[in-house]
Amino acid sequence: QVQLVESGGGLVQPGGSLRLSCGASGSIASIPAMGWYRQAPGKQRELVAGITRRGLTNYADSVKGRFTISRDNAKNMLYLQMNSLKPDDTAVYYCNADWFGINSWGRGTLVTVSS
């Protein structure tokens, strides 16, 4: 399993943008699926976006058209570009790697959307 470290969170005003990054300690090229999850205070962790090794993506309905997930297998990096941010997007965002049900998680990065 690889170690995952997220970065890029912070405070942003509604309508703003942030780009989250997730660095892996080893190669991600063979990882079948990676994704971004988030957990808001008092709520369960939820999938925000996922991407397969071949680049197929899926998104939560709440972020479709605003967020874009991407992965750079050569650099062992996963990204989440977040645009048109809303207060409801406030949460801790976690990077995930999934080897056929065996999961690795980062420690998370906090995103706060507030004026």
Side-chain angles (χ1 to χ4, degrees):
Q1 292 184 340
V2 295
Q3 304 299 314
L4 303 172
V5 179
E6 304 93 338
S7 61
L11 174 63
V12 63
Q13 291 187 343
S17 298
L18 280 175
R19 187 193 194 204
L20 304 184
S21 299
C22 172
S25 60
S27 175
I28 68 169
S30 62
I31 299 176
M34 299 190 73
W36 288 96
Y37 288 72
R38 68 186 180 187
Q39 187 166 18
K43 296 186 177 181
Q44 291 187 334
R45 190 174 297 188
E46 63 176 358
L47 175 67
V48 176
I51 186 167
T52 69
R53 185 177 61 180
R54 296 185 179 182
L56 296 176
T57 60
N58 64 288
Y59 297 92
D61 287 343
S62 59
V63 307
K64 282 181 181 177
R66 300 188 298 123
F67 290 11
T68 302
I69 188 171
S70 61
R71 64 191 282 176
D72 186 333
N73 291 338
K75 295 182 178 180
N76 300 320
M77 295 292 293
L78 180 73
Y79 303 101
L80 185 68
Q81 178 66 43
M82 306 186 295
N83 299 328
S84 303
L85 283 161
K86 305 175 181 179
D88 284 349
D89 295 319
T90 295
V92 177
Y93 284 71
Y94 298 91
C95 178
N96 170 266
D98 184 355
W99 282 269
F100 305 107
I102 300 173
N103 286 276
S104 291
W105 295 92
R107 292 189 174 185
T109 185
L110 177 63
V111 173
T112 303
V113 184
S114 175
S115 56

